Amino acid sequence: QVQLVESGGALVRPGDSLTLSCAASGHTAGYATGWFRQAPGKGREFVASIGWSDSRTYYATSVQGRFTISRDNAKNTVYLQMYSLNSGDSAVYYCAADSHDSGSDASAEYGDWGQGTQVPVAS
């Protein structure tokens, strides 16, 4: 089991940048990590994922080119760098751990979830 804690959420303005962190503890080796988000009244949406051994990344089309996911295995931390934020990015952001080595865009593949961090984007 993996315990995950997100941080870095904040109120930002359109066009701003923000970096979220996901600190993991427990049995973290071999786990891919994903970021998902959920806006009010909407379902949970895949954002990005990164594999454990090869750090292969996948992105949702809506964030491709604006968001960057990375990991520091020595620190057991995964980051989500977000650029050119817009109102459509407003959501609670969750990180999740997938027991497979490679990440997935399917939330059902992820067995452990953090509590989420809010990112409101408003002018």
Side-chain angles (χ1 to χ4, degrees), residues 41-61:
K42 296 187 177 180
R44 192 164 293 186
E45 174 190 25
F46 170 75
V47 176
S49 68
I50 186 166
W52 169 263
S53 58
D54 61 6
S55 293
R56 182 174 295 183
T57 58
Y58 296 97
Y59 295 94
T61 302

Side-chain angles (χ1 to χ4, degrees), residues 55-84:
S55 293
R56 182 174 295 183
T57 58
Y58 296 97
Y59 295 94
T61 302
S62 59
V63 306
Q64 181 80 45
R66 297 190 300 121
F67 289 14
T68 300
I69 188 172
S70 61
R71 69 186 309 147
D72 184 337
N73 288 342
K75 296 182 178 179
N76 286 332
T77 301
V78 172
Y79 305 96
L80 185 68
Q81 296 173 287
M82 305 184 293
Y83 303 95
S84 300

